[in-house]
């Protein structure tokens, strides 16, 4: 009967030995699996929901179709498929034999491995083995002959000239993996060949490869003895190789065979589209437990992340797709994953013994900051690794530690303070609509079908404002009803979240959701910004109800298709389209912009990297706020070359505001200025429908508006004038009346004009008798002051207003309205606060109390101080203090100090708004404290004296010692103030703030009164050079050359 | 008695310019306010200082011997208050300097006087002084009055008022105050000179200065390269030095270096705070580039432009390539 002998000429000792080795191999493999499972079980829970069963079927589909392996590398896919199937079938074959030999026969006396089944078995196993060998040989050829760059581990992007030891280990891993497979396959066939040569059964051709080999051996004259010798030895080689491979599976590259089942099954359908909220600690019981910050050590990775790391096959597809890697930034997603995996394994083997810091030693901060969160890596990963969420988790830690670049920090501050990344006034957010011919609805005041969420770039960037207006006109022309949130809109937060500033993201989300909730009725949201689109669509729902959102490309496609916009003349342009990462790859809208292009009659030629392989412009993930190093090729420039290589292009079409900014710039810097233009899709649509010829004005409404505006203006002016005139005439009349009626009264002081507490003209040159009247401390209502535990540092902080560019002075009132200011913490106070924190940290004792004088809004400033580490806050306010002078402010602060009895008082050297540079020194005098001003450094051990370094003119410094307690006014530059994340700011809500209502003083001791507030005269101002940077550079060059000629 | 009292500022035996400038400012208002005009010198070698302060318009020079001669705000406050009270002066002028900021406001608080700081305009209206100062980085000016104040303390901005050139013939009046037991006085330790550096802003003829607009140290090479290409010395405003992006020696201004020999100053992304202007506003040709059309730097610049400094740097680079 057709079958074969399993243990030919194997002695019973050999038999036993074989089973011992096999058992050991299985045990090693099982231990490896158990070890991994144990690690996953101990790791943190996944911050995103995992649906393994839903994912399971997709995984089965992906594995058996090898869909993900074929993508963007068909040959590797074609080679991998027979390897995988070959391996699986051979594994199955071996298992079948084991089942018969070890189970069914000994226990049930039942055999099946014979006859037709055996013949089919032999044929399939032979073909599987053949496939395996062919696949492996191709892979070897590819790896060592073709040498695709994505398989090289030397980090040329980091300037490495030598392969690092870890990477050499990876090379060994790859090499052994391939050779092991080849060895198993080849020895298997060899075994079959000699067996068939010896036995020559009639069914030999059912094992075609073995049969051919047998014929060859026989043809070469192999005799029985030689064949038997080979058969005996090779049996062991083959067997041990196969068993060793089994043992090695969980420990080597082969582990992906198992890990991939998990990583593909647990793929997060929303990965990167929706980043995880910070997880609660594993042990959290209380509801108000503080969530984790981010990943600061490998122990903070979730089991899903660890599984991802283990699944990596080093295939290099992410390395190839990453825009950061491509532009020479210090990041390769592949290397990131491999470094993390190596570190994770080391830490798991020797917990505690591995002192390497995750961020810094293993992964450098600059690597993390290089990510554009474009999703290209995870999108192409055949085993479902989700790199960007891990990167963001580590960035969260960096943000928490304040370890970020200055510009990013400033931008985040700006967003926190003003709600936009441009540092512009929130009030001018809707400013771009002013130049439209028609009014744009304010959804806060009247309902509209669509709420247009504009986003920062489309609101504030001049080039994008043009596009926004075009889109508005298109909507208008199509009769689409829309409105804006105007200044109630803030940055949507997509990129803020990807930078890792989760707290700020949450507060932006909260703000925008509230603004939407408070707005009048609207049915849907539209936006031109794919970043806002992504976060509002995928992330906002985690925080509250939100209307469905559409990207304007879908809206335009629909308007054109339904005929609400009609193409007048097809454009006939040859264009290419850049798929924005957040629109295409992340949200799958590849076709809508293409449909629009088709409808307006453009010939679309796609770039080689399009759709899911679109190449990021480089702006994502907050990178637009971090400058790229000068000199290196930026991703956007790389993209421009790609577009130019298409040839004869008219237009490079974008449909994302950031893309417009990035590519407009890159087109110039990459030298393709003459090759094509960069335009927004909307601009092409406008051209195609001849938007210019349409009359969009709503004449009656406009007339109404003009009349209304004119009427208000006239009424305002007339009212003022009238009041003035009335006052003058009445006063004149009254005075002359008085004069005639009672001549003696005429010399009495005139009624003070309403505008100013103006001093009165006096006959004598002195203002009363000379007297010194020392300023005194305010008597404030007592508030609860905890008992002192260690030294107490009192820091005065102030929120300072910065004037908007379009501010106006109300000269009559001598004031500037609040709306012209943006507020932030005074930078000198920030330095003082930092100094205070450093002092207590160094002493490891005591508390920092921050005090501010300001209205309720100013509490945010105080909270910022608390977030940075101050222990308590005190806020004093009374309306009478609104325009208080430094002496009055000092008196109020003295009132606080007398309740606090601090050991050191710190203030800023001056405030950035009014720049008196006086409050601190006046306060010191009122409190009778020793003091120094413009201080750069303080050394104090808590004892009776401190050493103070104060700054003099010209960079000279003066060191002196002062008795404690003392007051110091702090200069910037002596320290680097720490960053307070929004999370820390929120946490600071738990810290106490005592609110003191009342000033405790009048303005009687005020040093001065403001007589007049005005803009400085414009005479003598610079002659302004008009034009763009190019023109200005020319003019400046002329001045320089001219000057040089003189010198 | 009445009159004006100017507190002389000096360092290392040399009178600081702001002292002479304050004398100039005082002579302008002396007639309106009434004299005498006295200069108070507190220090070690008061005679030498007195002769430097003896300028046209000064009536008296009051001297107080301070044995160790190192500035201490507590001693200055004590001395100035004593003299002001004894002479019942109407106006005390102090320099708005690191020292002035330390004791000027303290004197004002102690006397309960009228007070204004960083004053750059002084006038008299109906025999009463009106002080002009600015706010919001120089974007707003304000006139201040001091109703009902028998005495007024002002700290005056340096490099603003014109010093008299001619010598005067003031009488010298020594004044005795006990400076040995002033509470709150400190103990001098040492002076730390600015660290040596390989740039000399004071000598440079052509300076290209960058301000906070630089944003981050990574952007520095672009401007350092540009400066080199243009043959300019690289200067900066304080925040750039504070952040450690450039050594302190590059900082132009009051607490940095005065661009004493400069004839062409290119200010990129600098708002024009008074302390920065102190170091460069005298320069012959100033070109300022700032995206904010209201930036006060344009008040002192001769040529200005509102463009992005990064774009400009690239354009200039091309222009000189
Ligand atoms: C005792 C004391 C001494 C001091 N001494 C000095 C000193 O010696 N020197 C000194 O400089 N400062 C000094 N200061 C600090 C001074 O008050 C200011 O804080 C400082 O000068 C501000 O520097 P800046 O103009 O660079 O920054 P900012 O005032 O922040 O101005 C930055 C400017 O750049 C513009 N800008 C931003 N981005 C761009 C862009 N992309 N393109 C073009 N323009 C842009 C903005 O519109 C803004 O006007 C001192 C302060 C004190 C209290």
């Amino acid at each position: 009967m057709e079958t074969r002998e399993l243990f030919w000429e194997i002695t019973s000792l050999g038999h036993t030995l074989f089973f011992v080795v096999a058992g050991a191999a299985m045990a090693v493999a099982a231990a490896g699996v158990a070890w991994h499972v144990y690690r996953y079980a101990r790791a943190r829970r996944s911050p995103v929901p995992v649906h393994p069963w839903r994912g399971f079927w997709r995984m089965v589909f992906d594995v058996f179709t090898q869909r993900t392996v074929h993508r963007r590398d068909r040959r590797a896919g074609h080679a991998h498929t027979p390897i995988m199937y070959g391996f699986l079938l051979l594994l199955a074959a071996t298992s079948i034999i084991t089942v018969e030999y070890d189970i069914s026969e000994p226990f049930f006396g039942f055999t099946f491995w014979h006859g037709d089944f055996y013949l089919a078995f032999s044929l399939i196993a032979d073909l599987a083995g053949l496939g395996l060998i062919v696949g492996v040989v191709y892979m070897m050829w590819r790896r060592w002959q073709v040498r695709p760059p994505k398989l090289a581990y030397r980090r040329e992007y980091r300037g490495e000239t030598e392969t690092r030891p870890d990477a050499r280990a990876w090379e060994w891993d790859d090499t052994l993996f391939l050779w092991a497979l080849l060895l198993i396959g080849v020895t298997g066939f060899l075994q079959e060949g000699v067996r068939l040569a010896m036995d020559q059964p009639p069914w030999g051709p059912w094992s075609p490869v073995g049969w051919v080999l047998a014929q060859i051996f026989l043809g070469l004259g192999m005799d029985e003895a030689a064949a038997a010798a080979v058969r005996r030895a090779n049996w062991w080689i083959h067997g041990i190789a196969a068993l060793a491979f089994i043992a090695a599976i969980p420990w080597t590259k082969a582990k992906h065979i198992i890990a991939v089942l998990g990583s593909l099954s647990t793929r997060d359908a929303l990965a990167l589209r929706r980043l995880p909220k910070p997880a609660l600690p594993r042990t959290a019981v209380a509801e108000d437990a503080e969530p984790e910050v981010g990943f600061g050590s490998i122990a903070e990775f979730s089991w899903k992340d660890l599984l991802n790391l283990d699944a990596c096959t080093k295939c290099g597809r992410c390395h190839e797709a990453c825009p950061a890697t491509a532009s020479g930034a210090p990041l390769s997603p592949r290397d990131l994953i491999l470094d993390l995996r190596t570190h994770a394994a080391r830490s798991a083997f020797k917990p505690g013994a591995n002192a390497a810091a995750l961020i810094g030693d293993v992964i450098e901060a600059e690597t993390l900051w290089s990510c554009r969160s474009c999703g290209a890596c995870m999108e192409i990963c055949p085993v479902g690794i989700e790199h960007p969420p891990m990167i963001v988790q580590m960035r969260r830690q960096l943000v928490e530690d304040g370890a970020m670049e200055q510009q990013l920090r400033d931008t985040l501050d700006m967003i926190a303070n003003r709600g936009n990344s441009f540092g512009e006034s929130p009030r001018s957010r809707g400013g771009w609509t002013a130049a439209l011919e028609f009014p744009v609805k304010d959804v806060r005041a009247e309902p509209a079908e669509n709420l247009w969420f504009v986003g920062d770039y489309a609101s504030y960037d001049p080039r994008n404002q043009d596009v926004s207006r075009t889109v508005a006109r298109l909507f208008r022309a199509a009769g689409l009803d829309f409105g804006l949130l105007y200044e109630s809109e803030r940055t949507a937060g997509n990129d803020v979240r990807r930078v890792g500033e989760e707290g700020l993201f949450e507060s932006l989300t909260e703000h925008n959701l509230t603004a939407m909730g408070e707005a009048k009725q609207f049915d849907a949201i539209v936006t031109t910004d794919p970043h806002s689109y992504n976060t509002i669509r995928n992330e906002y729902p985690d925080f509250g109800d939100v209307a469905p959102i559409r990207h304007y490309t879908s809206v335009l496609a629909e308007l054109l298709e339904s005929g609400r916009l009609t193409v007048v003349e097809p454009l006939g342009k040859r264009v290419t389209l850049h798929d924005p990462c957040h629109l295409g790859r992340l949200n799958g809208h590849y076709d809508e912009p293409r449909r629009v292009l088709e409808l307006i009659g453009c010939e679309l030629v796609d770039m080689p990297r399009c759709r899911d392989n679109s190449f990021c412009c480089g702006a994502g993930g907050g990178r637009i706020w971090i400058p790229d190093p000068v000199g290196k090729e930026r991703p956007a420039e790389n993209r421009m070359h790609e577009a130019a290589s298409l040839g004869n292009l008219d237009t490079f079409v974008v449909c994302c505001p950031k893309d417009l900014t990035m590519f407009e710039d890159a087109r110039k810097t990459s030298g393709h200025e003459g090759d094509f233009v960069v335009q927004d899709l909307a601009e092409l649509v406008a051209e195609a429908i001849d938007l210019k010829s349409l009359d969009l004005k709503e004449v009656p409404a406009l007339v109404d508006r003009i009349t209304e505006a004119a009427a208000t203006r006239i009424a305002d002016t007339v009212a003022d004038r009238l009041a003035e005139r009335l006052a003058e005439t009445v006063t004149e009349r009254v005075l002359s009346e008085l004069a005639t009626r009672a001549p003696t009264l005429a010399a009495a002081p005139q009624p003070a004009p309403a505008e100013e507490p103006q001093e009165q003209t006096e006959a004598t040159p002195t203002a009363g008798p000379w007297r010194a009247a020392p300023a005194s401390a305010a008597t404030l209502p007592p508030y609860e002051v905890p008992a002192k535990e260690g030294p107490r540092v009192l820091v005065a902080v102030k929120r300072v207003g910065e004037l908007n560019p379009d501010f106006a002075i109300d000269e009559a009132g001598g004031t500037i309205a609040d709306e012209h200011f943006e507020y932030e913490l005074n930078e000198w106070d920030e330095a003082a606060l930092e100094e205070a924190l450093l002092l207590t940290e160094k002493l490891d004792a005591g508390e920092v109390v921050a005090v501010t004088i300001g209205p309720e809004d100013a509490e945010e400033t105080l909270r910022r101080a608390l977030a940075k580490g101050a222990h308590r806050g005190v806020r004093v306010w009374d309306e009478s203090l609104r325009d208080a002078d430094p002496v009055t402010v000092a008196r109020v602060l003295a009132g606080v100090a007398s309740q606090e009895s601090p050991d050191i008082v710190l203030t800023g050297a001056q405030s950035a708004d009014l720049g008196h540079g006086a409050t601190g020194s006046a306060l010191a005098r009122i409190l009778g404290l020793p003091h120094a001003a413009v201080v750069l450094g303080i050394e104090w051990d808590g004892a009776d004296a401190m050493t103070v370094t104060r700054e003099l003119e010209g960079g000279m410094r003066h060191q002196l010692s002062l008795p404690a307690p003392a007051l110091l006014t702090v200069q910037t530059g002596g320290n680097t103030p720490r960053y307070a994340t929004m999370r820390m700011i929120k946490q600071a809500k738990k810290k106490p703030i005592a609110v003191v209502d009342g000033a405790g003083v009048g303005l009687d001791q005020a040093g001065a009164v403001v007589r007049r507030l005005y803009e400085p005269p414009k005479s003598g101002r610079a002659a302004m050079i008009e034009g763009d940077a190019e023109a200005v550079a020319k003019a400046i060059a002329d001045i320089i050359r001219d000057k040089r000629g003189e010198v | 008695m009445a009159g004006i009292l100017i507190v002389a500022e000096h360092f290392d035996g040399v009178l600081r310019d702001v002292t002479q400038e304050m004398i100039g400012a005082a002579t302008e208002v002396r007639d309106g306010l009434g004299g005498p005009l006295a200069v108070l010198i507190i220090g070690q070698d008061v005679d030498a200082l007195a002769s430097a302060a003896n300028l046209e318009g000064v009536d008296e020079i009051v001297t107080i011997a301070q044995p160790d001669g190192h500035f201490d705000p507590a001693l200055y406050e004590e001395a100035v208050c004593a003299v002001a009270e004894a002479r019942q002066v109407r106006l005390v002028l102090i320099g708005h300097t690191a020292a002035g900021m330390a004791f000027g406001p303290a004197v004002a608080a102690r006397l309960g006087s009228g007070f204004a700081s960083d004053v750059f305009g002084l006038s008299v209206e109906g025999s009463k002084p009106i002080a002009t100062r600015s706010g919001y980085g120089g974007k707003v000016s304000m006139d201040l009055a001091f109703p009902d104040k028998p005495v007024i303390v002002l700290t005056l901005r340096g490099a603003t008022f014109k010093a008299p050139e001619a010598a005067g013939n003031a009488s010298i009046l020594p004044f005795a105050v006990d400076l040995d037991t002033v509470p709150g006085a400190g103990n001098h330790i040492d002076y730390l000179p600015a660290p040596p550096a390989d740039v000399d802003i004071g000598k440079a003829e052509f300076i290209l200065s960058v301000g906070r607009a630089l944003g981050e140290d990574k952007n520095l090479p672009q401007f350092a390269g540009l400066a080199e290409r243009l043959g300019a010395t690289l200067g900066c405003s304080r925040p750039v030095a504070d952040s450690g992006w450039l050594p302190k020696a590059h900082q132009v201004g009051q607490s940095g270096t005065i661009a004493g020999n400069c004839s062409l100053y290119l200010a990129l992304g600098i708002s024009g705070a008074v302390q920065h202007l102190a170091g460069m506003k005298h320069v012959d040709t100033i070109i300022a580039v700032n995206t904010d059309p209201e930036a006060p730097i344009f008040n002192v610049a001769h040529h200005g432009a509102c463009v992005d400094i990064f774009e400009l740097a690239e354009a200039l680079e091309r222009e000189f390539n």
Side-chain angles (χ1 to χ4, degrees), chain A residues 730-859:
Chain A
V730 170
T731 320
E732 261 169 40
R733 278 289 196 72
V734 170
L735 287 178
S736 66
E737 276 291 292
L738 285 174
T740 46
R741 285 195 205 165
T744 41
L745 278 179
Q750 299 188 354
E755 52 169 14
E756 273 301 322
Q758 203 169 11
E759 52 174 331
Q760 294 112 43
T761 328
E762 285 173 73
T764 47
T766 51
W770 203 97
R771 63 182 194 280
S776 54
T779 319
L780 294 172
Y783 60 90
E784 203 180 319
V785 178
K788 252 203 223 183
E789 290 168 17
R792 176 171 292 160
V793 187
L794 184 67
V795 190
V797 295
K798 180 188 185 187
R799 62 160 199 172
V800 292
E802 192 183 312
L803 281 176
N804 291 331
D806 50 355
F807 75 95
I809 299 177
D810 171 9
E811 290 210 15
T815 54
I816 303 171
D818 206 38
E819 65 183 45
H820 297 300
F821 290 105
E822 302 303 334
Y823 290 100
E824 52 209 12
L825 176 56
N826 178 31
E827 65 175 297
W828 280 273
D829 296 345
E830 218 173 356
L833 175 66
E834 182 65 31
E835 206 60 38
L837 295 171
L838 292 175
L839 278 177
T840 48
E841 282 165 7
K842 210 179 263 169
L843 291 173
D844 199 16
E847 65 166 350
V848 174
V849 183
V851 51
T852 194
I853 297 177
E856 206 173 333
D857 303 346
E859 211 145 300

Side-chain angles (χ1 to χ4, degrees), chain B residues 194-220:
Chain B
D198 52 2
V199 283
D200 193 343
I201 291 291
K203 290 220 178 80
E205 289 177 1
F206 175 16
I207 298 175
L208 183 158
S209 255
V210 285
R212 202 195 314 253
L214 191 64
E216 114 167 77
D217 57 350
K218 276 207 193 142
N219 297 329
L220 194 72

Side-chain angles (χ1 to χ4, degrees), chain A residues 405-408 410 623 625-630 665 669 757-762 764-775 801-803 805 807 809 816 821 827 886-887 909-910 912-918 921-922 925-926 930-934 936 947 949-963 971-973 975 1004-1018 1020-1025 1027-1030 1032-1034 1036-1037 1039-1041 1043-1044 1047, chain B residues 9 11 16 33 70-71 73-74 77 84-85 88-90 96-99 101-103 105-106 108-115 117-118 125 127-130 132-151 184-195 205-206 212 214-216 218-219 222 229-231 238 242 245 248 254-257 263-264 266 275 284-285 287 289 292-295 298-299 301-307 311-312 314-316 318-320:
Chain A
E405 312 207 9
Q406 188 62 36
Q407 194 146 326
L408 178 59
D410 292 347
R623 269 314 299 200
W625 306 321
I626 311 173
D628 280 316
V630 187
D665 182 52
T669 54
Q758 203 169 11
E759 52 174 331
Q760 294 112 43
T761 328
E762 285 173 73
T764 47
T766 51
W770 203 97
R771 63 182 194 280
E802 192 183 312
L803 281 176
F807 75 95
I809 299 177
I816 303 171
F821 290 105
E827 65 175 297
V887 177
Q910 65 169 22
D913 50 0
L914 290 171
H916 290 292
S921 301
R925 163 53 21 239
I926 297 171
H931 58 108
V934 200
L936 281 174
T947 302
T949 308
R950 62 181 196 99
E951 182 185 78
L952 307 183
E953 279 70 24
M956 171 86 90
R957 282 154 300 150
H958 182 202
Q959 230 171 28
L960 66 157
S961 83
L962 278 183
Q971 170 67 306
T972 56
N975 57 42
D1004 50 313
Q1005 288 188 330
V1009 294
V1010 178
R1011 277 269 305 260
R1012 193 157 88 86
L1013 206 62
Y1014 52 100
E1015 281 194 53
K1018 299 267 176 202
R1021 274 174 63 99
M1024 298 306 274
I1025 308 165
D1028 62 359
E1030 215 65 46
V1032 171
K1034 287 216 161 59
I1036 292 180
I1039 300 170
I1040 295 175
R1041 291 191 178 116
K1043 196 81 187 168
R1044 274 192 195 149
V1047 174
Chain B
E9 180 159 342
F11 184 75
R16 280 250 155 108
L33 295 177
H70 301 298
F71 171 78
E77 175 196 324
E85 189 151 13
Q88 303 219 327
V89 295
R90 290 202 58 213
H96 189 69
T97 58
M101 282 163 91
F103 75 96
R110 172 139 155 204
L111 298 178
S113 69
F115 174 70
S117 62
D118 194 21
E125 223 179 83
S127 84
K128 305 202 142 199
I130 299 290
T132 305
R133 71 187 306 282
S134 60
Y136 307 107
K139 291 184 180 174
V140 174
S141 294
M142 56 195 85
D143 292 346
L144 302 176
F146 312 92
D148 301 327
K149 295 287 187 184
V151 54
N187 281 315
H188 166 80
I189 298 176
D190 205 359
Y191 290 106
L192 313 171
E205 289 177 1
F206 175 16
R212 202 195 314 253
L214 191 64
E216 114 167 77
K218 276 207 193 142
N219 297 329
Q222 189 181 4
R229 172 144 295 174
L230 300 187
R238 178 165 186 123
D242 274 356
W245 303 337
K248 191 82 181 166
Q254 180 184 320
S255 55
T257 311
S263 63
L264 176 58
L266 184 52
Q275 295 94 345
D284 274 356
T285 307
I287 311 171
V289 180
D292 176 6
E294 296 291 326
F298 293 129
N299 293 336
H302 307 97
H303 308 275
C306 291
V307 292
E311 286 176 21
L312 178 78
E314 282 175 27
L316 271 176
R318 284 196 290 275
E319 189 64 34
F320 281 87

Side-chain angles (χ1 to χ4, degrees), chain B residues 212 237-238 251-255 269 271 275-276 290 308-309:
Chain B
R212 202 195 314 253
S237 68
R238 178 165 186 123
Q251 182 189 318
V252 176
Q254 180 184 320
S255 55
S271 62
Q275 295 94 345
H276 188 81
N290 194 305
D308 181 87
I309 59 163

